[in-house]
Amino acid sequence: MSLQDSPSPEPFSGVILAGGFGTRLGRDKAAAEAAGRPLLHWTAEALAAVSDDIVVVARPGQTLPPPAGAAWRVARDARPEAGPLAGIEAGLGIVRHDLAIVVATDMPLLVPALLRAVAAACRDVDVVMPVRDGRPEPLLAAYRRAARAAATALLDAGERRPRVLLERLPSRRLDAEALQAHDGELQSFHNVNTAADLARVADLLRDRRSRGAARISPTGGSR
C-alpha cells in the first residue's frame, strides 16, 4: 500500500516543541516572526488543519506568543537542558489522543496532507520517523503515548537522542521521498536555525500565501 493509498489516520494530537533556546538564531524561535506572524503561529495553524488537540511544549519560565487562530495547551518541559527527547516526554504526557505528530516550532512550512500521511503510517507501530539522506527526522514524526515510558527510561539513563526510540519500540522508517506525493518539494522539513533561514522561509510563506490568494476570484469563486 502506497502512502497515496493509505487509509485516513485515526484522530491524533499535535505536539510542537517550542522550548529550544534559539542560540544560533539569537532569539526565541517560537516568537521569531516570518511574513508577519510568529513561527509558532504558522506551525500551529498547519497542525490545527488536521488535529483537534495541539500541545505546545515550553521550557520553564518561557513566554510564548499568545494563540491567534489555532488554540493550544501548554506543557512545561521538566528537563529543559535535555533537548527534544525531553520535550517529547513532556508533550506525550498530556496529549488527548493515543497517537501524536511531534514537530518543532520552527517548521512553518508544514503541509497538512503530509502530516496526515505520517500519522497514517503509524497504524500498527509506536513510532514512525521519516528518513532523509539516511538520517531519521524525529521532529516531524509520529509517536504513540506508549513511547513516553521509553523516552523517560532513555533520559534517566543519560540518552538524549530521540532517534534511539526507533531501536527500543515497534517502529517504521519512512522514506521522505514517499511523502513527495503530499509535499512535492518537501518544504515541510525546512526549519530555521539562522537569520538567513528565517528570511528564506518568510519568502516561501509569502509566495505560498500569494499563490493561495490567486486561486480565489474577487467574488469568492475559484479561478
Side-chain angles (χ1 to χ4, degrees):
M1 178 181 291
S2 72
L3 286 177
Q4 284 182 288
D5 303 327
S6 59
S8 297
E10 66 198 79
F12 59 91
S13 298
V15 175
I16 303 173
L17 305 188
F21 292 95
T23 304
R24 282 189 284 171
L25 185 62
R27 65 184 113 164
D28 193 314
K29 289 184 180 182
E33 291 202 358
R37 299 176 67 194
L39 292 176
L40 177 57
H41 286 181
W42 289 109
T43 304
E45 180 180 83
L47 276 169
V50 292
S51 175
D52 62 357
D53 177 42
I54 299 175
V55 172
V56 176
V57 180
R59 64 184 180 271
Q62 182 181 8
T63 300
L64 298 171
W72 60 67
R73 296 178 295 126
V74 176
R76 292 291 171 179
D77 187 348
R79 317 190 207 208
E81 304 292 337
L85 185 60
I88 293 169
E89 177 194 40
L92 292 180
I94 70 166
V95 291
R96 292 176 178 150
H97 298 297
D98 182 58
L99 178 63
I101 292 288
V102 174
V103 300
T105 192
D106 62 338
M107 302 177 83
L109 297 167
L110 292 169
V111 172
L114 182 143
L115 298 173
R116 192 180 291 113
V118 174
C122 202
R123 60 193 174 275
D124 54 358
V125 293
D126 291 336
V127 178
V128 167
M129 285 188 198
V131 177
R132 298 182 71 208
D133 302 322
R135 297 190 303 273
E137 296 278 357
L139 299 190
L140 202 174
Y143 302 86
R144 294 199 176 273
R145 276 189 296 212
R148 184 173 187 264
T152 298
L154 289 170
L155 288 162
D156 289 346
E159 177 60 72
R160 297 185 177 187
R161 297 172 297 168
R163 68 176 182 269
V164 177
L165 291 171
L166 287 169
E167 303 162 10
R168 300 296 178 90
L169 295 166
S171 61
R172 175 174 293 117
R173 289 170 170 82
L174 192 62
D175 286 340
E177 290 73 15
L179 295 166
Q180 286 181 305
H182 308 285
D183 180 2
E185 298 179 10
L186 296 179
Q187 290 186 353
S188 295
F189 292 93
H190 289 357
N191 63 355
V192 175
N193 290 313
T194 65
D197 293 337
L198 186 63
R200 181 168 181 251
V201 299
D203 287 342
L204 290 168
L205 285 165
R206 282 189 286 266
D207 179 63
R208 184 181 287 185
R209 187 164 54 191
S210 65
R211 284 187 285 112
R215 296 192 189 102
I216 306 299
S217 74
T219 59
S222 298
R223 294 189 179 193

